[in-house]
Amino acid sequence: MKTSFPIIGMHCASCARLIERQMKKTPGVIDAAVNYGSEQASVEFDPTLCTVSTIAKSIESAGYKAIISSDRQKTPNDIKEEAKRTELADLKTKVIVSSILSILILLGSFPEWFPFVPPLLNNAYILLVLTSPVQFWVGWRFYQATWSGLKNRTASMDTLISVGTSAAFGFSLLTTLFSRQLAALGLPNIMYYDTAAVIITLILLGRFFEAKAKAHTSDAIKKLLHLQAKTARVVRNGEEINIPIKEVKIGDIIRVRPGEKIPVDGTITEGSSAIDESMVTGESMPVEKRSGEPVIGATMNKTGTFLFLSTKIGDETMLSRIVKMVSEAQSTRAPIQRLADVVSGYFVPIVLMLSVVTFLIWFDFGLPTQAFVNMIAVLIIACPCALGLATPTAIMVGTGRGAEYGVLIKDAAVLETAHKIDIAVFDKTGTLTRGKPSVTNIVPIGKTTENNLLILAASLEQGSEHALAEAIVLRAKKRKFHLSTMTTFESVAGHGVRGIVDGKPLTLGNRTFMKRESIPFTAHERTISTLESQGKTVMLLASGKQLLGLIAVADTLKDEAKEMVASLKKLHIETWMITGDHESTARAIAQQAGITHVLAGVLPQQKSDKIQELKQSGAHVVAFAGDGVNDAPALASADIGIAMGTGTDVAIESAGITLLNKDLRSIVTAVRLSKATLSIIKQNLFWAFAYNIVLVPVAAGLLYPITGWLLNPAIAAFAMAASSISVVGNSLRLKTASI
Amino acid sequence: MDKTIITTLGLATIGAIYWFFFGTKEESRIVSDHWDIAVQGGYKPAAIRIPHGKPAAITFTRTDPNTCLEEVVMSDFKIKKFLPINTPVTIPLSPAKKGIYEIHCGMNMFHGKIVAV
């Protein structure tokens, strides 16, 4: 029998040889080969002598892991989820047992407060029996972590807890066993079983809630991963077959029916449909797609049935790239975190030393019993976790929230800088404008009406594939006009088109064409020049030798541009436009958008120099939004590069932010998201620092001489547990913050 | 007398804590493009040397159940990986420049470093 399975843990080709040898040594294995590159093992074995799992075990004994069938379907994410579930279940059991025992211990420890408790529970030995499982079974994880840390000469949160609770437990144990001897030495007969038990219970309860809350910080990635379709209906040998998505190849023709998910990225080859891309791009309206247009995997087909050619699969699909970008961004560190990073490196040893100082000061100058309690309180209250969680959790939720809006953020530094933008520069064509011409003016002449002019022009142009023709036909279709039939059609390159519509000979084109055809138009030269000065292309329509009217076509401003500029102004961000167009054309567009600063006549290669100049003139934080490949240098040289749309990799690679939905208003969303995230990070860092700076001295008893305040270690444990949860909880607020 | 003894012992403890955690730790001088790092109470070895400008791989094996260590982060390389317990996880790297790159756990409590030489 032959089988193959993936192997993990190999780090060089010699590992592959080692595994091969190991497998061959297994009784029943006939032949075995391991490919280091593909991390796959193929093995031939006699099933009567051994099984796949015995082979896997033998591989494991060599220090590697074979992923056999039951594991094979699991993604790394599934493995993580499973580990998290097991951990939560284990924590839950321990928290429940520990809580019950702690309540009993607490009731038994204070007979003066709880006189109704049976005297048996007040017995020191009974308390010892009740506390031991809490200390050593429930709290075992703290010892384990402390021990492995000490072996490495490092310390963590767990070190503080295990040292603190062990001190409380150890002292109580001595008191229980040797109460007489201690009394003879003049030491007080006090027990801290309740302290040890309550601390462990509360810290563990805190961990339980923290683990639950932390799981939600990566919800965005999980949501994205769940979008993926499981199967694809591929046309092979003329038959449609359902296959798992992993088996789809580039070049496959795939059928998608209404209500189905598009499995991979590709291009429509037959049919058309409205596609809901909101899950990937954040664009809320379904997009009409026809043959030749690209479709994105994991988006939802709404109305039509179509066939498409798969062009990108696996890690190359848009969804995979989004997931990769988001998870990469979540792994980066924000510069604001630097101080917390430095502090956390020294935190635990310093707290350990501080606790000894507390003990000494109280022992030498105060009450010896209080010295012990305060030392424990210092150990327990210190919370490095809150410092460690403050920034990353907010960054995780923030970048995830961005992805939901179709705003992809490259790294934490970008998210941190975006709120400081004070100049936003926009490339004109394709960024501020649609990048496609559309009809801007229809000027009828003589008795012709506007509608008539458009119908005639569109009827003539329906046979043409020119971008200007498309704009005219689209406008007529938008107005739901019925187009007349065209009988003969001729396209004259560089001039225009002519043909016969409803029996009338029509000519549509530029001035040169009119001159060539001897059609008089000079009476309208002023109108034509005015339109041209606005950056528009003017076409003249004539019937025979009589001019019927003018149609001006131009690349127009995106609908949302004006609103975006106004919103940015409200955020005190200056807007600039950069373009290679002439000053007058550029100004006309800028004015429509409400942009006051224009950099016209800039060659593509000069764009990045202009951005540099702006950055240096008065220490501005400059954002540049562009979409083309030639924008890449400018995107890279800006403080924040914003790439528009699903555009190609070069622009996205150079940009800090990518707007998948191509909606300019998302720039405002990105700035607001950055502001919101930053304010959450600042709050988190403030609380995490303030918490430790204020409460550690209080626990040490610094306020005692002035106010008489001391901190009970159990309350310290509660505060400590609450601090981590509050930091994670505060970051989760970003999920619902209005942006 | 008691106070003197306790105070002396206490100060000695503080000194010991300082030495134990902040004293100089030995660093290996070996340069290799394949490293196995044991994740147990930190990263062992905590400092590794890899050549720059070439692909290298680090295999992390976490045997410590402490959830603090369940994620390894190398922000300079935009890497954050979950380390399932007792399962080796190999991470490929190729530092383009010489320098020190940090390794730390998800909560930034445990630290290690990669020195690209």
Side-chain angles (χ1 to χ4, degrees), chain A residues 313-334:
Chain A
I313 54 164
D315 291 345
E316 292 299 308
T317 63
M318 175 110 157
L319 182 73
S320 302
R321 278 164 46 212
I322 294 173
V323 169
K324 186 166 170 256
M325 244 180 116
V326 175
S327 53
E328 277 185 356
Q330 292 182 340
S331 71
T332 57
R333 305 190 81 66

Side-chain angles (χ1 to χ4, degrees), chain A residues 11 84 148 154 333 341 364, chain B residues 3 7 34 41 70 104 108:
Chain A
H11 39 81
K84 289 274 116 187
S148 48
T154 56
R333 305 190 81 66
D341 283 358
D364 289 347
Chain B
K3 282 188 181 174
T7 309
H34 288 114
E70 70 186 9
H104 58 83
N108 201 14

Side-chain angles (χ1 to χ4, degrees), chain A residues 413-415 417-418 421 621-625 634-635 637-642 655-657:
Chain A
V414 167
L415 191 59
T417 320
I421 296 172
V621 176
V622 178
F624 172 74
L635 285 169
S637 66
D639 293 299
I640 304 281
I642 303 169
I657 296 175

Side-chain angles (χ1 to χ4, degrees), chain A residues 11 80 84 87 144-145 148-150 152-155 158 210 331 333 341 344 346 356 364 388 396 410, chain B residues 3 7 19-20 25 34 36 40-42 44 59 64-67 70-71 75 78-80 104 107-108:
Chain A
H11 39 81
K80 183 176 171 179
K84 289 274 116 187
E87 188 206 331
Q144 257 181 331
S148 48
L150 290 181
N152 249 354
R153 292 172 78 170
T154 56
D158 299 298
E210 189 187 304
S331 71
R333 305 190 81 66
D341 283 358
S344 72
Y346 301 99
V356 182
D364 289 347
M396 281 183 80
K410 197 180 200 176
Chain B
K3 282 188 181 174
T7 309
W19 167 82
F20 190 77
K25 295 168 193 176
H34 288 114
D36 285 304
Q40 209 203 7
K44 270 193 263 184
T59 302
D64 190 332
N66 186 358
T67 50
E70 70 186 9
E71 262 176 347
S75 351
K78 291 193 172 179
I79 290 167
K80 181 161 81 173
H104 58 83
M107 283 195 191
N108 201 14

Side-chain angles (χ1 to χ4, degrees), chain A residues 8-11 36 39, chain B residues 36 57-60 81 88-92:
Chain A
I8 49 178
M10 286 192 287
H11 39 81
Y36 171 60
E39 297 189 308
Chain B
D36 285 304
I58 306 175
T59 302
F60 290 90
K81 275 266 160 110
V89 174
T90 302
I91 299 176

Side-chain angles (χ1 to χ4, degrees), chain A residues 5-6 52-53 56 66-73:
Chain A
F5 43 79
V52 177
S53 61
I67 311 281
I68 52 168
S69 57
S70 61
D71 300 338
R72 210 178 297 180
Q73 298 305 320

Side-chain angles (χ1 to χ4, degrees), chain A residues 351 354-363 370-379 381-382 692-705 709-712 716:
Chain A
V351 171
L354 267 181
S355 73
V356 182
V357 172
T358 305
F359 180 85
L360 290 181
I361 292 176
W362 274 91
F363 189 83
Q370 205 55 50
F372 189 69
V373 176
N374 290 354
M375 179 186 82
I376 296 172
V378 168
L379 288 171
I381 199 142
N692 284 299
I693 291 169
V694 172
L695 289 187
V696 171
V698 172
L702 205 70
L703 290 180
Y704 185 75
W709 290 353
L710 284 171
L711 204 62
N712 184 310

